[in-house]
Amino acid sequence: MLARDVMSSPVITLRPDTPVYAAAALLISHGFTAAPVVTAEGDVAGIATEADLLRGRVDGAHPERTVGALMDSSPLVVAPDDDLADVVTLMLDREVRTVPVVDSGRLVGIVTHRDVLRCVARRELTPAEVWRRRMAPTPADREEMGRAL
């Protein structure tokens, strides 16, 4: 299986000039632990995690900080055609839960622990099995998709 087979797309993103409070509200409202930070052109500039946003608020030195000041500006990224086993290995080795998927420099999706775990829980071993779930979701799938939107 490839990264493209399990990635979520479209992706909820942040901009470097997004205020920390707005970024935190967005992550909470969608149940995410991180979001890619993209430029106006769609290039991945970094990734902002819950920990980054907390760190920016706890020190109290700059109450109006933006995501660009706190994000990891060198995030791990993968390509759509990268083998999913390699992606998961990288995620575990680097201790990251969220990896942007980039094609020709542009963000095309995101792979999270939850995306991969969903496949494990449903015993989806092939791209066709994932595709069937996405094309004909069960009531539980539709409820989960509604929470993610």
Side-chain angles (χ1 to χ4, degrees), residues 5 8 15 17 41 44 55 76 82 124:
D5 298 323
S8 296
R15 298 293 282 278
D17 61 349
E41 295 78 29
V44 176
R55 206 171 290 114
L76 172 65
D82 285 352
E124 296 168 339

Side-chain angles (χ1 to χ4, degrees), residues 49-62:
T49 67
E50 292 172 323
D52 296 330
L53 300 178
L54 284 172
R55 206 171 290 114
R57 296 303 293 173
V58 173
D59 69 14
H62 304 283

Side-chain angles (χ1 to χ4, degrees), residues 43-127:
D43 297 323
V44 176
I47 193 160
T49 67
E50 292 172 323
D52 296 330
L53 300 178
L54 284 172
R55 206 171 290 114
R57 296 303 293 173
V58 173
D59 69 14
H62 304 283
E64 297 305 318
R65 278 193 173 165
T66 61
V67 169
L70 303 170
M71 69 183 184
D72 174 355
S73 58
S74 299
L76 172 65
V77 297
V78 297
D81 292 327
D82 285 352
D83 186 274
L84 187 59
D86 294 337
V87 172
V88 171
T89 299
L90 283 170
M91 292 172 76
L92 294 172
D93 288 349
R94 297 267 306 263
E95 297 181 354
V96 297
R97 299 175 50 110
T98 305
V99 179
V101 181
V102 177
D103 190 12
S104 299
R106 298 286 189 248
L107 180 69
V108 296
I110 195 161
V111 174
T112 67
H113 278 185
R114 181 170 290 181
D115 294 324
V116 178
L117 198 56
R118 186 178 296 115
C119 293
V120 171
R122 294 182 175 142
R123 298 181 181 160
E124 296 168 339
L125 301 175
T126 67

